[in-house]
Amino acid sequence: MNLNGVLAIYKFEMSRTRRTLMQSIASPVLSTSLYFIVFGTAIGSRMGAIDGVSYGAFIIPGLLMLSLLSESISNASFGIFFPKFSGTIYEVLSAPVSPFEIVAGYVGAAATKSLIIGILILLTARLFVDYQIEHPVWMLGFLLLTALTFSMFGFIIGIWADDFQKLQVIPLMVITPLTFLGGAFYSINMLPEPWQSLTLFNPVVYLISGFRWAFYGISDVNVAVSLGMTFLFLLICLTIVWWIFRTGYRIRH
């Protein structure tokens, strides 16, 4: 494995983050802090507990997942799209690095940025809401797995997109609505039928439910199912990436 090649791509992407700290790191943390102020402190103080957890603490996993999904996709998609847009992707493809090493560099950098943002959001939440993490190892595991999976998904979007507008279509029109409707601000058990059953077709439900279990030991669906669905989506993304490099879809053409 060409570790120098992977590190070169990784360091290049991380250096871009350092040059745009306000946009890459500060902006998503500030946006999520506003959610904590409005929903956690202002509205949450007037609402009752959900499954024994205060409303302000209950929404922390959902808000963290909202930022994690959007930032993972955004970082990875832009990271691979810009070389395509500028034409420098051919330099990467002609370098002595394999497709696996290219993906490892771009996806690894995007996942690292998302993890940094996630940890900063957790620390910031302490300023507004008191919360406990019941299963810290599982919480970090879900955090890492989600960041990797959706960074891989963002990489696929970056390959598929042929203009800047398409980069934003799926994150804004698909992922954000699914997150809001996936139990980020409520338990799906609060929904009447048939909406409760229909919500189970939303894949983000399983991510938020598993993540919330890691915090408070409560979940809308079985944690094993949540973990299995996350691994399944990662496997689907890996398969698509393999097909992209095998066929050269929108890379070599």
Side-chain angles (χ1 to χ4, degrees):
M1 184 173 178
N2 186 354
L3 290 178
N4 288 330
V6 175
L7 285 174
I9 296 173
Y10 181 87
K11 289 178 180 179
F12 178 82
E13 286 299 299
M14 293 305 295
S15 66
R16 181 166 58 84
T17 300
R18 288 193 294 270
R19 293 193 300 270
T20 58
L21 280 177
M22 290 301 294
Q23 178 184 354
S24 301
I25 304 296
S27 179
V29 172
L30 179 60
S31 299
T32 308
S33 298
L34 295 177
Y35 279 111
F36 285 128
I37 294 172
V38 174
F39 290 96
T41 305
I43 297 177
S45 61
R46 298 177 180 271
M47 297 185 65
I50 301 178
D51 295 331
V53 180
S54 68
Y55 184 73
F58 183 84
I59 65 174
I60 288 176
L63 287 176
L64 187 54
M65 193 61 67
L66 177 64
S67 295
L68 195 67
L69 299 187
S70 60
E71 292 303 315
S72 296
I73 293 173
S74 175
N75 288 325
S77 61
F78 185 81
I80 189 62
F81 173 80
F82 192 76
K84 283 177 52 190
F85 177 77
S86 61
T88 55
I89 186 66
Y90 298 107
E91 297 178 8
V92 177
L93 294 174
S94 62
V97 288
S98 67
F100 173 79
E101 291 158 355
I102 293 173
V103 174
Y106 282 109
V107 171
T112 301
K113 299 173 197 176
S114 300
L115 288 173
I116 292 172
I117 292 171
I119 292 171
L120 288 175
I121 289 173
L122 275 177
L123 296 175
T124 305
R126 282 285 186 190
L127 301 175
F128 307 102
V129 183
D130 183 30
Y131 66 90
Q132 302 296 328
I133 302 177
E134 194 167 314
H135 306 286
V137 175
W138 279 102
M139 187 277 293
L140 290 174
F142 268 110
L143 198 67
L144 177 60
L145 183 59
T146 304
L148 284 173
T149 301
F150 279 82
S151 292
M152 188 79 67
F153 184 50
F155 185 90
I156 294 170
I157 293 174
I159 296 293
W160 164 76
D162 52 13
D163 57 46
F164 285 97
Q165 183 176 346
K166 284 187 177 180
L167 282 180
Q168 302 299 322
V169 170
I170 294 180
L172 292 178
M173 303 297 291
V174 179
I175 300 300
T176 299
L178 287 179
T179 306
F180 275 92
L181 297 174
F185 296 98
Y186 57 87
S187 169
I188 66 171
N189 293 325
M190 300 166 66
L191 296 174
E193 291 291 354
W195 302 112
Q196 187 174 141
S197 298
L198 289 174
T199 302
L200 295 177
F201 289 96
N202 180 353
V204 180
V205 165
Y206 301 93
L207 300 175
I208 295 175
S209 178
F211 202 45
R212 187 168 283 135
W213 173 86
F215 272 78
Y216 310 119
I218 58 174
S219 61
D220 293 323
V221 296
N222 188 284
V223 65
V225 176
S226 297
L227 193 60
M229 291 293 288
T230 308
F231 273 113
L232 176 62
F233 190 58
L234 177 60
L235 180 61
I236 292 171
C237 289
L238 286 170
T239 303
I240 295 173
V241 169
W242 171 82
W243 175 81
I244 286 173
F245 280 98
R246 178 181 173 83
T247 62
Y249 174 76
R250 294 200 174 181
I251 293 181
R252 297 188 179 93
H253 304 298

